[in-house]
Amino acid sequence: MKKVMNKPVDYVDEMLDGLCAAHPRHFSQPQKRVIVRTGGAVPGKVGIVTGGGSGHLPIFTGYIGPGLLDAAAIGDVFASPSAEQMASAMRHADGGAGVLRLYGNYGGDVMNFDMAGEMLEMEDVVSTTVVLADDVASAPPAEAAKRRGVAGMVFAFKAAGARAEERGDLAEVTAAAQKTADACRSIGFALTPCIVPQAGKPTFTLAEDEMEMGMGIHGEPGIWRDKVKPADAIADEMLDRLLEDSGAGRGERVSVLVNSLGATPLEELYIVYRRVHARLGERGIDVVSPLVGRYATSMEMAGVTLTMCRLDSEIERLLGAPCDCPFWRN
């Protein structure tokens, strides 16, 4: 294992210390593994809280800031934060207008955020939940509620944060987040595994000439494993699966995210985006405000996720609204 770190047990805490030290205008840490918007809750604004395991920066912590999230609870690498950490994040985000819990569909996160919501109910803090389930490889359409949440969270964070900045009430912010979550479809592939620091060994194995389509961001099994294919063939399969699942067609507008899982460089992401953009153009689908880069990673895994978000006038307006964090500025 070759990593830039001290002790594996200190990996997450030292990373969060460095993140807050590097970006004090955006992030503060009132307690261990709870990161909040510098300046605290905004009075009269719906608070938006997320949470999940470390190892996925910029998700989850990186999207705290004006027009985005208010707080996040962070667990060990690929492990859920505790219910108490989530409850603390909710308390710090509460400006008196209620709190939205917005996170990915993973068992530990769901269980602990449900418990955190119950804790806050006893403190008279009203909260709602939107769970992202955008990974089309993880379950068929008939069982879409079982799908994993992946990079589509980025779009939901942005839309919900913009609606909250407009001083939408809790129901309106929740509705914007849910509509955007429902509009997102994602799929990814892996070329190499990653190493969880405290495990000290790869999360899975792939031969030098192999790839796996549909693999999850924690190394969950995909839908096929085969020899590495050319970039255009990979992009075509991912896009075809998203189009078929979403039903997007001619005359529509979409936003597209081509995301590195950690090790894949920008050059290769742009090769994929080039193909996706051309294919959508051939189908008469307009791409609005594409995102290309590292937005939702899996440590040092080499691979790419492709997310497509179908737009209506509201979602497009919210995605284009001002926001400010170190990883996304409008």
Side-chain angles (χ1 to χ4, degrees), residues 260-296:
S260 171
L261 285 171
T264 301
L266 279 169
E267 288 85 351
E268 294 169 30
L269 301 181
Y270 281 114
I271 290 171
V272 172
Y273 179 75
R274 149 201 158 274
R275 182 67 170 184
V276 169
H277 182 268
R279 287 280 317 284
L280 288 171
E282 291 168 1
R283 287 174 170 258
I285 299 174
D286 291 333
V287 179
V288 179
S289 302
L291 303 173
V292 180
R294 290 183 180 89
Y295 287 83

Side-chain angles (χ1 to χ4, degrees), residues 73-211:
I74 302 300
D76 276 324
V77 175
F78 296 177
S80 177
S82 69
E84 181 51 51
Q85 287 169 323
M86 292 173 171
S88 177
M90 292 171 66
R91 293 184 189 104
H92 284 288
D94 178 30
V99 176
L100 168 63
R101 295 170 272 162
L102 180 56
Y103 58 96
N105 191 24
Y106 295 93
D109 296 339
V110 172
M111 178 181 69
N112 288 339
F113 255 126
D114 284 348
M115 291 174 61
E118 293 171 2
M119 292 180 195
L120 269 292
E121 282 180 12
M122 293 187 288
E123 301 171 21
D124 296 323
V125 176
V126 178
S127 65
T128 56
T129 297
V130 172
V131 178
L132 268 291
D134 54 310
D135 184 354
V136 303
S138 55
E143 300 178 282
K146 295 181 180 180
R147 289 175 170 173
R148 300 181 289 251
V150 287
M153 274 186 274
V154 175
F155 290 111
F157 291 167
K158 179 68 185 69
R163 193 69 186 92
E165 290 293 338
E166 295 174 348
R167 297 303 187 268
D169 62 26
L170 182 59
E172 291 168 333
V173 173
T174 303
Q178 188 66 66
K179 180 196 281 190
T180 307
D182 293 342
C184 289
R185 300 289 189 280
S186 300
I187 190 170
F189 68 89
L191 298 175
T192 69
C194 63
I195 297 174
V196 175
Q198 287 182 266
K201 60 183 180 180
T203 52
F204 58 91
T205 58
L206 275 171
E208 285 297 316
D209 60 349
E210 284 186 326
M211 62 176 287

Side-chain angles (χ1 to χ4, degrees), residues 297-325:
T297 63
S298 182
M299 300 293 289
E300 75 277 29
M301 188 184 293
V304 174
T305 61
L306 175 65
T307 301
M308 184 175 68
C309 180
R310 297 175 72 181
L311 304 178
D312 64 9
S313 58
E314 181 188 24
I315 296 175
E316 185 170 344
R317 173 178 61 79
L318 294 173
L319 294 183
C323 68
D324 182 17
C325 79

Side-chain angles (χ1 to χ4, degrees), residues 26-27 35-38 50 60-66 68-72 324-326:
H26 294 94
F27 309 136
I35 307 299
V36 305
R37 178 172 169 173
T38 295
T50 194
F60 298 86
T61 314
Y63 295 108
I64 292 172
L68 292 159
L69 305 173
D70 295 281
D324 182 17
C325 79

